[in-house]
Amino acid sequence: MKTVVHVMGARPNYMKIAPLMDALAGVPGLHQRLVNTGQHYDEAMSGVFLRELNLPRPDRDLDVGSASHAVQTARVMVKFEAVCQEERPDLVVVVGDVNSTMAAALVAAKLVIPIAHLEAGLRSFDRTMPEEINRLVTDAIADLLLTPSADADENLRREGVPESKIFRVGNIMIDTLQKHREHARFDRVRDRFAIAEGAYAVATLHRPSNVDDAETFGGIMSAMREIARTLPIVFPVHPRTRARLATGVSGDTNGLILTEPLGYLDFLSLTSHARLILTDSGGLQEESTALGIPCITVRQNTERPVTVTEETNELAGSRPNDILAAFRRALSRTGETRRPALWDGQTAGRAAAVIRQFLGL
Ligand code: UD1
């Protein structure tokens, strides 16, 4: 019997782990265990996703909660080390680029347990982003680098990763999106936000570089107020951003339709029927490409360049005039669903095949 321990911790992890666990379910000789670090813990950031994505009940809850980067990373490490010592996994699977990803990978590497990193190789080349450090560290010590795209393979090769460790499996988040899209009907959100199909924007913001600095955040909010004069904006607010809004540094929120963070299905209903998406999220850039909804990314760089080359996404930066200019350009783009290579809903099967081969199953 071989044991695989999957690690998830924060909101963008759940939609990557769910299809992989499904694809590996029932493999003879394989025992899957699920560890939830609890980096995200609110019902709206965690519980609703676990239910809607049909994730199994975690075998272990580490309950690490929020803290500084060092403390949060260290808490995951201390608790995950004990899990590994008890479970003795043959493989640890980590996904994405959050603190829990890097923390669990470090623990496994020190215990000489092989690591698979799903969504390996993405690079923004911006080391002021905590996620970029998490990606670099995780990829440097992982054994199976399961990548979403050719640019990711290229990044790894440039860093000296041997070809034998790189497996291009595709974009696993699109598996989840395709599976749930038909359930994400517009009537889930229409009345709640009093919006008309195709005639509103969806905004999300949570990067520390955008919301922690008062001037930057204030500028972005002023651009959003201006956009909302012509196109209503529904703005599900991340807890970090809510705390910043509460300080009043960003000016008023008049004209914006604010809401708590939404669950997977409500959010997909909202985005898939929108005219425009404005975001600093990595995953949402990809989802907008798959949905064919024009996206304005409030960042100077992206670790997902394929979204820009597909021409559904524009990097606008954080200055209000640049955001407004990008808004005018985005309105003239026509929506068309894009399918970059291996965004085909079959990524979990390919990732599972690599893992089975590695384990000899
Ligand atoms: C984390 C990830 C980021 C990802 C984002 C998605 C890292 C370094 N960052 O950022 O890559 O894009 O998740 O949301 O791993 N909080 C709550 N309830 C929660 C979780 C957080 O209130 O369930 C609040 C806390 O005040 C916390 C703050 O949000 O301090 C930030 O949470 P944290 O997990 O540290 O980082 P995120 O900004 O969510």
Side-chain angles (χ1 to χ4, degrees):
M1 205 70 184
K2 302 276 186 179
T3 302
V4 170
V5 168
H6 302 271
V7 180
M8 62 180 188
R11 189 170 60 177
N13 290 164
Y14 312 131
M15 50 291 254
K16 297 166 192 165
I17 286 286
L20 180 61
M21 287 194 79
D22 261 358
L24 286 169
V27 171
L30 180 68
H31 182 49
Q32 299 196 78
R33 305 281 279 165
L34 178 59
V35 174
N36 184 9
T37 69
Q39 176 175 341
H40 285 172
Y41 43 85
D42 283 350
E43 164 63 19
M45 299 292 287
S46 179
V48 61
F49 287 84
L50 307 193
R51 283 193 307 280
E52 289 185 347
L53 301 177
N54 276 326
L55 273 153
R57 216 187 154 74
D59 299 287
R60 305 289 188 117
D61 283 300
L62 306 186
D63 293 323
V64 300
S66 300
S68 71
H69 284 270
V71 170
Q72 189 175 60
T73 305
R75 278 186 194 151
V76 175
M77 289 184 70
V78 170
K79 294 191 168 182
F80 189 61
E81 185 177 52
V83 171
C84 286
Q85 278 159 343
E86 284 168 37
E87 299 282 349
R88 297 259 142 228
D90 298 285
L91 183 71
V92 167
V93 174
V94 295
V95 298
D97 55 16
V98 302
N99 285 346
S100 301
T101 310
M102 179 190 70
L106 274 171
V107 168
K110 295 289 180 78
L111 293 173
V112 202
I113 299 166
I115 303 158
H117 182 205
L118 181 54
E119 202 186 77
L122 296 184
R123 297 289 180 270
S124 65
F125 304 100
D126 175 1
R127 292 196 181 191
T128 66
M129 280 180 84
E131 294 81 2
E132 184 75 352
I133 305 300
N134 295 341
R135 294 180 200 115
L136 284 160
V137 172
T138 305
D139 286 343
I141 56 180
D143 301 274
L144 300 176
L145 294 150
L146 306 173
T147 69
S149 48
D151 57 283
D153 298 7
E154 206 38 58
N155 292 334
L156 294 172
R157 284 189 200 109
R158 209 180 309 110
E159 289 167 18
V161 175
E163 207 63 43
S164 58
K165 289 186 173 184
I166 304 174
F167 301 88
R168 196 187 315 161
V169 295
N171 190 330
I172 193 128
M173 227 177 45
I174 306 302
D175 288 25
T176 302
L177 184 138
Q178 286 188 8
K179 178 173 175 192
H180 294 279
R181 197 170 171 189
E182 67 182 281
H183 306 295
R185 290 190 319 274
F186 187 54
D187 56 19
R188 290 184 72 98
V189 289
R190 179 186 46 217
D191 296 340
R192 184 146 134 219
F193 300 118
I195 44 178
E197 188 155 5
Y200 62 93
V202 180
T204 76
L205 288 174
H206 73 286
R207 296 270 158 230
S209 57
N210 279 334
V211 303
D212 286 1
D213 176 67
E215 199 183 321
T216 307
F217 189 32
I220 297 169
M221 289 295 291
S222 74
M224 283 171 48
R225 283 192 296 271
E226 183 62 30
I227 290 172
R229 287 153 59 102
T230 42
L231 192 66
I233 299 184
V234 184
F235 182 16
V237 185
H238 185 282
R240 173 194 289 279
T241 311
R242 180 162 299 280
R244 297 294 297 152
L245 282 175
T247 65
V249 291
S250 56
D252 64 57
T253 55
N254 291 345
L256 304 176
I257 305 167
L258 264 54
T259 174
E260 293 298 308
L262 299 176
Y264 187 79
L265 293 176
D266 283 349
F267 193 67
L268 184 57
S269 314
L270 201 59
T271 51
S272 47
H273 300 95
R275 176 72 187 88
L276 180 79
I277 291 170
L278 188 133
T279 192
D280 59 10
S281 147
L284 195 43
Q285 292 173 54
E286 295 179 327
E287 288 168 338
S288 64
T289 294
L291 295 168
I293 310 283
C295 181
I296 298 172
T297 295
V298 187
R299 285 173 50 188
Q300 302 285 2
N301 51 55
T302 180
E303 61 286 337
R304 275 112 165 155
V306 70
T307 61
V308 176
T309 52
E310 289 292 329
E311 296 183 19
T312 56
N313 183 25
E314 176 173 345
L315 299 179
S318 307
R319 289 206 299 263
N321 284 343
D322 295 339
I323 295 171
L324 291 172
F327 169 62
R328 288 186 288 273
R329 282 191 291 275
L331 286 188
S332 64
R333 287 205 294 273
T334 51
E336 197 188 302
T337 306
R338 303 295 176 116
R339 281 277 158 72
L342 303 184
W343 291 32
D344 57 357
Q346 308 295 321
T347 293
R350 288 186 288 268
V354 174
I355 288 172
R356 289 180 69 165
Q357 193 185 24
F358 179 81
L359 295 172
L361 293 172

